[in-house]
Amino acid sequence: MPALYEQLPGELDIVVCHGDGLTITGSLGFNATGDTLTAVVYEDTAAGYAAAIAATPAPAATWTVTVVTAATGDVSLSLSANTIKGLSLTKSYRWFLRSSNLNRSCVSGTFATRAP
């Protein structure tokens, strides 16, 4: 047995201008047929993470996840301009995309807003 086992999501850090809309497209590399994919942005604190996984209180933002081609795991993630405008320029955030079929996060990273 190896001394260390890691199962970590792929890392994707995001920086977006405050008040701009954002759409990211890509392939997850697995068949997403019948999968429930959820993605949220949460404040990078213990309470923020707890809100993100419990949904009560709500996370800082919830992505719209669209499966483009399920067989290849092609997806589109979107946040509206108003949603991003509601995030603070001074807080630190993280985000993740979770697959219910895999029972784990697939992609995660930092999420930051900045002034234009």
Side-chain angles (χ1 to χ4, degrees), residues 6 14-15 68 81 95 98 103 109:
E6 292 184 2
I14 299 169
V15 179
V68 177
W95 78 280
R98 185 168 180 79
N103 196 30

Side-chain angles (χ1 to χ4, degrees), residues 28 40 55 64 66 94 98 109 111:
L28 299 174
V40 297
T64 298
T66 304
R94 290 195 56 81
R98 185 168 180 79
F111 188 99

Side-chain angles (χ1 to χ4, degrees), residues 25-105:
T25 58
S27 179
L28 299 174
F30 61 86
N31 188 333
T33 301
D35 204 343
T36 301
L37 301 169
T38 54
V40 297
V41 176
Y42 62 94
E43 192 173 332
D44 193 8
T45 63
Y49 178 69
I53 59 172
T56 307
T62 301
W63 296 82
T64 298
V65 180
T66 304
V67 177
V68 177
T69 307
T72 55
D74 295 343
V75 296
S76 174
L77 306 174
S78 299
L79 289 170
S80 72
N82 281 340
T83 297
I84 292 175
K85 190 174 186 178
L87 298 174
S88 173
L89 285 165
T90 59
K91 291 183 179 179
S92 296
Y93 296 98
R94 290 195 56 81
W95 78 280
F96 63 82
L97 170 69
R98 185 168 180 79
S99 160
S100 65
N101 282 356
L102 297 178
N103 196 30
R104 68 180 188 91
S105 296

